[in-house]
Amino acid sequence: MGAVFAGVCLLGELALGVALVIGAFFTLAFSSEAYRHNATPLHQALNLLAFALAVLPTFVTLWVGWRRFLSDRPWEAVPLGLGLPLVALVVCAGAAFLAVMGGEGSTSRHREQEARAALAALRAEVDGGARHKVCDLVARDPRASAEDMRRCRDFIESQPGVEARWAEFSKFFDEQMGFQTWKLGEVGLAPAFEWSKAVPVIRHDQEWFLRAFYETWLARPQALASMEDLGRLRLALQSSTRYLGWDARAVETLRTQVLPVLSGRLDAQEPRLRALPDMDAWLLGSVREKIQNLQASPEDGVEPLPPLPGTPPPGAVGVARMADDGALDLWLRASPTSGAFGDVYLRRASYDPEYEGWLKHLGGALRPGELRFIPAP
């Protein structure tokens, strides 16, 4: 019976060891794929160490089995007996996990250092007179200043051709997602825990940008000439809302000056669009719906800013209010040093993962209806 029990235990431990090897293999495969272009030598070495650690418990189990059933040497000399493979499994699994995390952390830090160095080099070029790169700087630096945006605007407006201007505007637009965005923490409006709320890359002169972006779009010869262009227009309209971080002036200008022209162009182009072989009636209807929503409800999803509870202290980036249901309404500036309270709005319910972090950042719980200024992170 003792031999049977030992055999069953060893088979179970062997199965766990094999499972650890398989899990480590797939984990490292995905990790290597994610970091395949810039994994540091330390990352690669730690990945090898992690795999070696994952394999080790299987060999320990086989060795213990050999000592238990095949060896003439005393079984009592085996440390921990049948428990040795299990201890090795736990220790090696933990060490392998730490090695994987350490490797990924090494590469992540290296990436951050490279990104900071590249951004510093780009800023040095722009400050040295490279006007053609100033919009690249605005698109890549979450802390780009109002002066950076002014220089970007000047450069775009200096371009004589529509295509040249559009090439600059395209730096701020993702054809899969719409306008490029930053996380609130990246622009300095919230602590690092606020990872889910994003705002447009353009943090200054938004009114000019939205108007000029759509005017340049419509001035292109290929504007509204294909379903692909209509799809890009849908993404642009979808990400041009107050709720997604554009200020009230920008959206109002879009609503009153741009959308009527855009709607008229769409009406004129509709017969030709419907004649296209790949005509998508849903896409055309969706674009019209988004135009109508922006015209009818520009403030949809955004609570109006209440009267401020006094004079904002220096450095305040917004104002918060606790609703009757315990949720937090947050009205933030466009950037830590510019814009008005309410240019960015977000709401955090009590069940949101960021809720407790915001309460702590605000200095503790608020009473329902109480307003409190939001300090800079």
Side-chain angles (χ1 to χ4, degrees), residues 178-341:
F179 287 111
Q180 302 271 16
T181 60
W182 298 119
K183 302 299 184 184
L184 279 183
E186 292 178 302
V187 298
L189 289 172
F193 61 75
E194 181 54 70
W195 58 269
S196 59
K197 176 67 176 180
V199 292
V201 162
I202 300 298
R203 305 310 312 139
H204 308 279
D205 214 353
Q206 290 186 341
E207 182 180 4
W208 167 82
F209 180 88
L210 269 190
R211 175 177 52 79
F213 176 88
Y214 283 102
E215 288 175 350
T216 305
W217 182 306
L218 292 173
R220 296 174 305 135
Q222 66 271 35
L224 303 179
S226 65
M227 286 295 105
E228 290 78 8
D229 201 62
L230 198 64
R232 288 189 286 269
L233 175 60
R234 176 182 174 275
L235 284 175
L237 292 169
Q238 180 176 289
S239 53
S240 298
T241 65
R242 284 279 290 118
Y243 184 75
L244 293 179
W246 295 94
D247 65 44
R249 298 175 301 280
V251 174
E252 182 63 15
T253 297
L254 173 66
R255 188 179 74 86
T256 58
Q257 298 183 26
V258 177
L259 293 185
V261 177
L262 176 57
S263 185
R265 283 285 299 276
L266 195 60
D267 289 340
Q269 289 285 94
E270 184 170 348
R272 193 160 67 86
L273 287 170
R274 290 192 176 278
L276 292 173
D278 59 345
M279 168 60 190
D280 186 338
W282 175 87
L283 180 57
L284 181 59
S286 179
V287 170
R288 289 196 177 281
E289 180 184 5
K290 294 190 181 304
I291 292 174
Q292 292 169 1
N293 289 342
L294 279 168
Q295 289 178 320
S297 306
E299 297 287 326
D300 188 35
V302 177
E303 288 290 324
L305 178 69
L308 298 182
T311 302
V317 297
V319 64
R321 180 185 65 189
M322 178 166 281
D324 292 338
D325 61 358
L328 285 172
D329 292 305
L330 305 160
W331 294 270
L332 301 164
R333 297 183 186 275
S335 78
T337 57
S338 66
F341 293 164

